[in-house]
């Protein structure tokens, strides 16, 4: 069917994947990314989308390299499907090279900065901040986390498969300080983090009140990894907490980022 436009092709792909049992999280991710593409190309015939069109779309995305790679993968999935159902003669993404990831310096918050931040943060975002900095959990995963998934009896947080960025279940063990921050806010169930909009508003307020003018990229997870490795000196344990299956990249980025005496503080 050469008459399919991009919007129709997207819906057909999602319908098929839903019938095959795609997770809600992956369907939402697919809908979001392809929706962005369809803001510009919804009414284009899929067979008229060229490699140059896709390259131009990706080049103008103001997102991190990793996110841009995710867009490329989802578009490749769409047009690969398009070829299979006869909506495209060829996949315009087939010849695309993954955008090169720009290396960046790992930066962390100092103990004083984090102390100041936690002491001025609204109660609504305190648990999320604590889990980020003392558990190394990604913010997107915290946004999907429920209080029922935090086991205070066994001191661990369960990141379920459907809520994990990597689509793999993992267990994050709670340190004493993480438990101490969470205990006053403990609930049996319900979202750990407020809505994204409310979180951003309260986070900006706390950050400004704490006098933090420069916020490091992925500050919570990077701080956790750096301090955890310095404190315990066990690359395997740090990898388990972060959900990494390999330790070489972890060692390269986080080893000797901070001193042990600072990590203890």
């Amino acid at each position: 069917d050469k008459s399919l436009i991009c919007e129709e092709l997207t819906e057909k792909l999602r319908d098929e994947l839903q019938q095959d049992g795609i997770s809600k999280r992956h369907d939402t991710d697919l809908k979001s990314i392809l929706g962005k593409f369809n803001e510009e190309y919804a009414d284009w015939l899929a067979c008229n989308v060229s490699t140059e069109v896709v390259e131009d779309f990706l080049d103008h995305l103001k997102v991190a390299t990793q996110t841009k790679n995710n867009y490329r993968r989802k578009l490749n999935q769409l047009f690969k499907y398009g070829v299979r159902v006869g909506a495209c003669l060829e996949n315009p993404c087939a010849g695309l090279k993954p955008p090169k990831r720009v290396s960046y310096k790992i930066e962390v918050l100092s103990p004083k900065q984090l102390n100041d931040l936690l002491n001025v943060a609204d109660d609504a975002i305190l648990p999320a901040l604590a889990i980020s900095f003392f558990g190394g959990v990604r913010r997107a995963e915290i946004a999907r986390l429920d209080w029922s998934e935090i086991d205070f009896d066994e001191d661990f947080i369960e990141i379920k498969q459907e809520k994990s960025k990597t689509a793999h279940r993992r267990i994050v063990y709670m340190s004493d300080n993480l438990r101490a921050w969470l205990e006053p806010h403990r609930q049996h169930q319900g979202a750990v983090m407020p809505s994204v909009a409310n979180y951003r508003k309260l986070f900006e307020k706390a950050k400004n009140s704490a006098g933090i003018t420069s916020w490091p990229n992925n500050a919570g997870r990077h701080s956790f990894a750096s301090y955890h490795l310095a404190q315990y000196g066990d690359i395997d344990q740090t990898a388990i907490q972060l959900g990494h299956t390999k330790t070489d990249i972890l060692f390269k980025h986080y080893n000797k980022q901070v001193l042990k005496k600072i990590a203890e503080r």
Side-chain angles (χ1 to χ4, degrees), residues 208-231:
N208 294 335
S209 298
I212 301 173
T213 56
S214 178
W215 186 260
N217 177 59
N218 217 355
R221 190 167 168 85
H222 288 174
S223 294
F224 170 81
S226 301
Y227 288 121
H228 190 275
L229 184 56
Q231 168 77 354

Side-chain angles (χ1 to χ4, degrees), residues 3-143:
S3 65
L4 280 180
I5 59 175
C6 290
E7 188 173 43
E8 292 170 337
L9 184 63
T10 298
E11 290 306 311
K12 284 177 69 71
L13 171 62
R14 288 185 60 216
D15 286 344
E16 179 173 297
L17 291 174
Q18 286 167 3
Q19 290 174 14
D20 291 342
I22 186 176
S23 71
K24 183 177 179 181
R25 185 179 73 83
H26 281 94
D27 181 54
T28 300
D29 191 35
L30 187 70
K31 179 181 179 182
S32 173
I33 287 177
L34 297 184
K36 183 75 173 176
F37 181 77
N38 283 325
E39 286 178 10
E40 298 182 50
Y41 301 105
D43 58 350
W44 277 48
L45 290 174
C47 58
N48 288 340
V49 177
S50 65
T51 299
E52 290 73 25
V53 167
V54 178
E55 283 180 336
D56 183 69
F57 170 76
L58 294 173
D59 286 343
H60 286 84
L61 286 174
K62 295 181 180 179
V63 295
T65 305
Q66 184 173 343
T67 304
K68 190 172 289 190
N69 263 320
N70 197 25
Y71 271 84
R72 180 185 61 83
R73 285 191 292 269
K74 292 294 188 290
L75 286 169
N76 180 63
Q77 183 178 9
L78 174 68
F79 289 107
K80 188 175 180 180
Y81 170 76
V83 172
R84 178 160 65 83
V85 298
C88 309
L89 292 175
E90 57 185 26
N91 178 0
C93 301
L96 287 177
K97 292 182 179 180
K100 292 182 179 179
R101 182 172 296 181
V102 179
S103 61
Y104 55 87
K105 181 181 177 182
I106 296 293
E107 295 180 299
V108 303
L109 254 60
S110 69
K112 182 182 184 305
Q113 285 177 312
L114 181 54
N115 180 70
D116 291 346
L117 179 70
L118 292 174
N119 279 301
V120 298
D122 189 282
D123 283 352
I125 64 170
L126 250 178
L129 288 172
I131 292 170
S132 175
F133 280 92
F134 299 136
V137 181
R138 299 175 180 91
R139 196 179 77 171
E141 293 172 335
I142 300 172

Side-chain angles (χ1 to χ4, degrees), residues 127-128 130-132 137-152 156-160 162-164 170 172 174 178 182 187 189-194:
I131 292 170
S132 175
V137 181
R138 299 175 180 91
R139 196 179 77 171
E141 293 172 335
I142 300 172
R144 296 187 284 266
L145 188 66
D146 193 272
W147 280 103
S148 62
E149 294 154 355
I150 302 179
D151 192 322
F152 285 90
F156 70 80
I157 299 171
E158 179 187 10
I159 309 298
K160 294 187 174 182
E162 65 270 20
K163 297 184 179 183
S164 166
R170 78 177 186 279
V172 176
M174 284 197 285
L178 175 53
L182 293 180
Q187 299 177 35
Q189 61 183 16
V192 170
M193 191 173 124

